[in-house]
Amino acid sequence: MSAPLANPHAPLCRGGSPAPRRLAFAFSLIALLLLAAGPAPVEAAGGKALDQYFRGKVTALEGSTVTLRYDFRRKDQVKDFTDRVPFRIKPRKGQRMKWFDDKMEIIGNSGARHKAEWIGDVVVTATFTPEIEKDFGGYMSPVSETEDFVTFTFVETFFHAFDGKSGGANSIIKFGAQWRETDSEEFIGFRYGPRKPPKKKIKVGEKYTATFGRVSKKLIFKLADYEMKGSEKGKKLKRFHVGFYAMKGRMLVDNVEITGTLATDWCKREKVELRTSKPIEEAGAGTVDAELQASMDAHKGGSAKATRALVGVLKDPGAGEVVHAAVTEALSTGPKKAVRSLIDLLYSTDEKARARGITVIKALIGSDYGFRPKAKEKSRSDAIRKLNKALKDDPDLLK
């Protein structure tokens, strides 16, 4: 049984219980001593600040509304998620959820559920890179772990199979035991919400940014070319988790941003307070924070690890123009050996990433070897071969 909700607008969430009567005098004496000693430090409040508890970055805090961002540049950010999906599905051999190449990797039938418990409205934005063409996306699931959950799915076909239809639309689907039409434990009752077929076929390896969640009692699913919204059918989600999932395939998730209200009793249980231990450095994506600056400094000092991390930023479409420009400038000043890592960008399916890569390479060694980001694949491959041959024939190019 879940605990009743406390006031969701309370500015602080603290744990603790009343002291026994026989210790009242002792506590009073301690309080007087603390007053005499002056104000207590922030850490003495009895709980962790948001930026001490979550491994993602706290990019905004307004009243009880919190925004967390995960760019997965640090491996430990994945620890804020657990391998979990809300629906019944047989495990697949090799399924997992873990960190991979500055992203969160999900191999289905698996998922990644965020550790926090939320109430009210919530908005989740993420970049998906699927290695499957259907049945992946996000979800909201009740803390009670009943079947009253909702999925926000790219090219949904898995659940359509239960009613004998082919599916294939980007869909919002609400589930609930009250809609179960068979005694089979495999069947999950559900009702279709808004759904539209994708305007373009999903391509393996392409990046897709989507926003999902609930705003003003409406479920929303926003993609690059259109937005869907509709009323929440069945039992309304009161306390819930948010997460991502992939069916029968592999998917990478990056640039996760979650904005919502944390459940007050969850804060108490976890000893989390709605504050930060230090000023919030950034309002969101698109700014050069201290961590990125440290990577640029380390690259300049010759760190190969930092160089690879910066190349990963140029590969990331969600990093923002300001960040891309700063990293491009940092890489363009050398060391020249960064070219080895930058060649990976030339193979990207993202034209803009290819353009960023060749821009830096030309700045470092003085030639683009005929590589054109917009050219057809064969032309690009020929140019990459010329570049690799030049590096092999003349090692001094990278000195």
Side-chain angles (χ1 to χ4, degrees), residues 286-343:
T287 57
V288 178
D289 58 14
E291 184 179 340
L292 180 58
Q293 185 61 55
S295 292
M296 293 191 290
D297 293 341
H299 158 74
K300 188 175 181 180
S303 168
K305 182 179 179 181
T307 300
R308 290 193 296 271
L310 294 180
V311 171
V313 173
L314 290 189
K315 192 186 300 183
D316 178 6
E321 292 183 8
V322 172
V323 167
H324 285 152
V327 172
T328 296
E329 181 179 355
L331 288 170
S332 296
T333 60
K336 292 183 179 182
K337 62 183 180 179
V339 169
R340 296 289 187 191
S341 297
L342 286 158
I343 291 174

Side-chain angles (χ1 to χ4, degrees), residues 174-295:
K174 183 66 188 293
F175 297 79
Q178 70 272 29
W179 296 314
R180 189 186 302 276
E181 297 175 0
T182 175
D183 292 333
S184 170
E185 291 189 1
E186 293 185 13
F187 186 85
I188 301 176
F190 61 87
R191 288 291 182 270
Y192 300 116
R195 45 187 167 149
K196 292 182 180 180
K199 292 185 177 181
K200 295 182 179 179
K201 185 178 180 180
I202 295 291
K203 292 184 179 180
V204 171
E206 292 280 1
K207 292 179 171 60
Y208 299 90
T209 298
T211 298
F212 65 88
R214 181 171 60 193
V215 176
S216 299
K217 300 182 179 179
K218 297 283 187 180
L219 297 176
I220 64 165
F221 190 20
K222 184 176 181 180
L223 302 105
D225 43 7
Y226 57 75
E227 179 178 359
M228 296 179 284
K229 67 171 66 175
S231 299
E232 184 178 352
K233 301 177 185 294
K235 295 180 181 179
K236 307 300 185 286
L237 289 165
K238 294 182 179 180
R239 292 171 39 125
F240 52 86
H241 296 286
V242 297
F244 309 93
Y245 75 96
M247 297 281 204
K248 301 180 180 180
R250 179 176 182 265
M251 171 179 74
L252 300 176
V253 181
D254 198 9
N255 300 318
V256 174
E257 188 170 89
I258 307 171
T259 299
T261 302
L262 294 168
T264 307
D265 53 344
W266 177 84
C267 289
K268 287 184 177 180
R269 188 170 67 249
E270 295 295 314
K271 294 184 172 63
V272 181
E273 297 186 354
L274 294 181
R275 61 178 176 83
T276 56
S277 63
K278 55 186 178 182
I280 295 173
E281 293 183 359
E282 55 178 314
T287 57
V288 178
D289 58 14
E291 184 179 340
L292 180 58
Q293 185 61 55
S295 292

Side-chain angles (χ1 to χ4, degrees), residues 366-380:
S367 175
D368 59 18
Y369 295 90
F371 184 90
R372 300 293 178 266
K374 294 183 179 181
K376 292 183 178 180
E377 185 175 356
K378 184 180 183 305
S379 175
R380 300 199 308 269

